[in-house]
Amino acid sequence: MASGDFCSPGEGVEILQQVCSKQLPPCNLSEEDLLQNPHFSRLLLSLSQHVDESGLSLSLAKEQAQAWKKVRLHKTAWLRLEILQRIIQELLVDYYVKTQDTKLTSEDKKFHETLEQRLLVTELTQLLGPSSQERVMPPLLGLEKADLLELMPPSEDFVWMRARLPLEVEEQLKKKCFTLLCYHDPSSDSDSETLKAAKVWKLAEVLVGEKQQCQDAKSQQKEQIVLLEKKSATYSQVLLRCLALLQRLLQEHRLKTQSELDRINAQYLEIKCSAMILKLRMEELKILSDTYTAEKVEVHRLIRDRLEGAIRLQEQDMEKSRQVLNSYEVLGDEFDRLVKEYTQLKQATENKRWALQEFSKAYR
């Protein structure tokens, strides 16, 4: 197929998009991607002719289908045996429950005891493994199959039990089917056994139909999810374009006048601030004029002049003291030694003066 058949806008691109979404889910390609890469589009279309919807090649898909068919057959056979095994175990459990509540007939006791004995001996025989000729390790507890076969019930009881077993199993299965029917359709609980049996006969078809509906709903959900992802990607691109347009509008229209607006606002705020400062100064002067008379203001002016004169004298004295200290600092370590010696002599003199005062008090 030529590239123009599917890469040009129209039906070819739409078909290729459907193929990519169903058979090649990771290839989430838009129409623009397909138009820009025609050779890659041709490769995808040719590849889709050799794979199925799961992405496997047709030969592998056929082998997988055959393998799944065998698995289903083995699974069905295993389920039959498993169901029969569980039904028999439930029969024995129900038997022990009934023995505690009601009295059973001798035939029922004989049937269940024979069934239990046969089942236990069979399970133990399977645990022993192969025969003594094929066994490598010693047998479990030193037992052989012949030892366990001696514990088998009599053949007459076994034949009688095996003839009755299908009826018991059928009855147990019927109870389970009726239980399943009532769970699926609670309104069937009050129906007769004949009507329940008729409904059970169609229950499998109903369940298969419901299962198919669930699978169809899941498939539709997957398709909706893929469609939602595509729409989300498209919406994201549209939003990005809208943001780019908004940014361009801001840059071309609003930002051009922003500097002029800022200058005007700054001038307005400056004038407003100056007016507020003048108003505060006016209020301050008004408060001062209301608080202090002319005499008080004159007295405060005199006090301030005297304080300022005292401050100037103190500063002059401090400057003289600083000059004296600077002259002493020229002496260096010798001055520090003289200061320490003078301090010691002064302290000794004070001590002797105090001792003399104490002696004088004593002689008085």
Side-chain angles (χ1 to χ4, degrees):
M1 180 180 293
S3 60
D5 297 338
F6 54 86
C7 291
S8 59
E11 185 179 359
V13 175
E14 184 178 354
I15 293 174
L16 185 55
Q17 285 181 330
Q18 293 178 0
V19 169
C20 292
S21 61
K22 290 184 179 180
Q23 295 180 260
L24 303 170
C27 298
N28 188 11
L29 301 175
S30 62
E31 182 178 350
E32 184 178 357
D33 297 329
L34 296 175
L35 292 173
Q36 292 179 356
N37 302 278
H39 298 289
F40 183 66
S41 303
R42 189 187 304 113
L43 175 63
L44 291 178
L45 189 59
S46 61
L47 183 62
S48 64
Q49 298 175 1
H50 300 281
V51 297
D52 62 351
E53 294 183 356
S54 63
L56 291 176
S57 63
L58 297 179
S59 59
L60 287 177
K62 185 177 180 181
E63 294 177 2
Q64 186 186 45
Q66 294 177 355
W68 275 115
K69 184 177 180 181
K70 292 181 181 179
V71 168
R72 283 193 292 270
L73 291 175
H74 288 293
K75 185 178 179 180
T76 302
W78 178 84
L79 284 175
R80 288 175 181 174
L81 295 176
E82 183 68 15
I83 291 172
L84 182 60
Q85 177 77 10
R86 293 191 180 187
I87 290 295
I88 293 174
Q89 291 177 353
E90 290 178 3
L91 285 174
L92 296 176
V93 172
D94 293 342
Y95 164 70
Y96 284 109
V97 173
K98 289 179 181 179
T99 54
Q100 297 177 1
D101 300 335
T102 59
K103 292 184 179 180
L104 301 177
T105 61
S106 58
E107 289 185 354
D108 292 338
K109 291 182 179 180
K110 180 180 178 181
F111 170 76
H112 287 92
E113 290 174 357
T114 304
L115 177 62
E116 182 181 14
Q117 187 176 359
R118 177 74 183 189
L119 183 63
L120 288 175
V121 172
T122 303
E123 290 179 354
L124 292 174
T125 304
Q126 292 176 354
L127 289 175
L128 288 178
S131 60
S132 58
Q133 291 82 6
E134 301 175 357
R135 191 185 300 119
V136 178
M137 298 178 63
L140 183 64
L141 300 177
L143 295 175
E144 297 289 345
K145 287 187 178 181
D147 299 330
L148 296 176
L149 293 176
E150 294 178 357
L151 301 175
M152 283 286 190
S155 58
E156 297 83 2
D157 296 343
F158 172 70
V159 173
W160 176 78
M161 181 271 297
R162 190 171 64 177
R164 182 178 171 179
L165 181 61
L167 299 177
E168 296 291 339
V169 171
E170 182 180 354
E171 184 67 24
Q172 193 73 8
L173 286 174
K174 184 174 73 174
K175 292 179 181 179
K176 286 189 171 297
C177 290
F178 287 169
T179 303
L180 179 60
L181 175 65
C182 294
Y183 175 79
H184 181 265
D185 185 11
S187 61
S188 302
D189 194 13
S190 58
D191 296 339
S192 61
E193 288 193 3
T194 305
L195 184 57
K196 286 182 180 179
K199 289 184 177 181
V200 167
W201 185 259
K202 298 182 179 180
L203 182 59
E205 296 179 1
V206 174
L207 292 177
V208 170
E210 292 181 356
K211 182 180 179 181
Q212 185 62 36
Q213 290 179 359
C214 292
Q215 291 178 351
D216 294 341
K218 287 182 178 179
S219 300
Q220 292 179 0
Q221 184 183 15
K222 289 181 179 179
E223 294 178 358
Q224 293 295 329
I225 289 174
V226 173
L227 182 62
L228 179 61
E229 290 177 352
K230 290 182 178 179
K231 289 186 176 181
S232 299
T234 305
Y235 291 158
S236 300
Q237 295 176 359
V238 173
L239 288 175
L240 290 175
R241 292 175 183 174
C242 293
L243 290 174
L245 289 175
L246 289 175
Q247 185 177 7
R248 192 178 69 181
L249 289 174
L250 288 173
Q251 292 176 351
E252 293 180 355
H253 299 282
R254 187 173 184 275
L255 295 181
K256 286 181 179 179
T257 59
Q258 187 65 37
S259 58
E260 184 66 21
L261 290 174
D262 292 341
R263 187 182 62 81
I264 296 173
N265 289 331
Q267 290 178 354
Y268 166 74
L269 292 175
E270 183 180 358
I271 295 171
K272 188 175 180 181
C273 183
S274 300
M276 290 296 295
I277 292 173
L278 293 174
K279 187 175 180 181
L280 290 173
R281 182 59 181 166
M282 184 181 67
E283 293 292 334
E284 180 183 1
L285 294 175
K286 184 178 179 182
I287 293 171
L288 290 175
S289 64
D290 294 340
T291 305
Y292 300 102
T293 60
E295 293 80 7
K296 290 182 180 180
V297 173
E298 185 65 25
V299 171
H300 287 170
R301 184 179 293 111
L302 292 175
I303 294 172
R304 186 180 62 184
D305 293 340
R306 290 180 181 179
L307 291 175
E308 288 178 353
I311 290 172
R312 285 194 296 271
L313 292 175
Q314 290 293 332
E315 289 178 351
Q316 292 175 1
D317 292 340
M318 186 174 65
E319 183 65 25
K320 292 178 182 179
S321 300
R322 188 179 291 112
Q323 292 176 0
V324 172
L325 287 174
N326 291 333
S327 63
Y328 284 146
E329 288 179 356
V330 176
L331 298 175
D333 296 338
E334 186 65 22
F335 175 74
D336 293 337
R337 186 182 63 78
L338 291 174
V339 170
K340 290 180 180 179
E341 185 177 353
Y342 171 75
T343 303
Q344 293 174 359
L345 291 173
K346 186 177 180 181
Q347 186 175 5
T349 303
E350 290 178 356
N351 291 335
K352 289 178 181 181
R353 186 180 292 113
W354 175 80
L356 182 60
Q357 290 176 358
E358 293 295 325
F359 279 122
S360 299
K361 290 180 183 178
Y363 283 115
R364 289 178 187 175

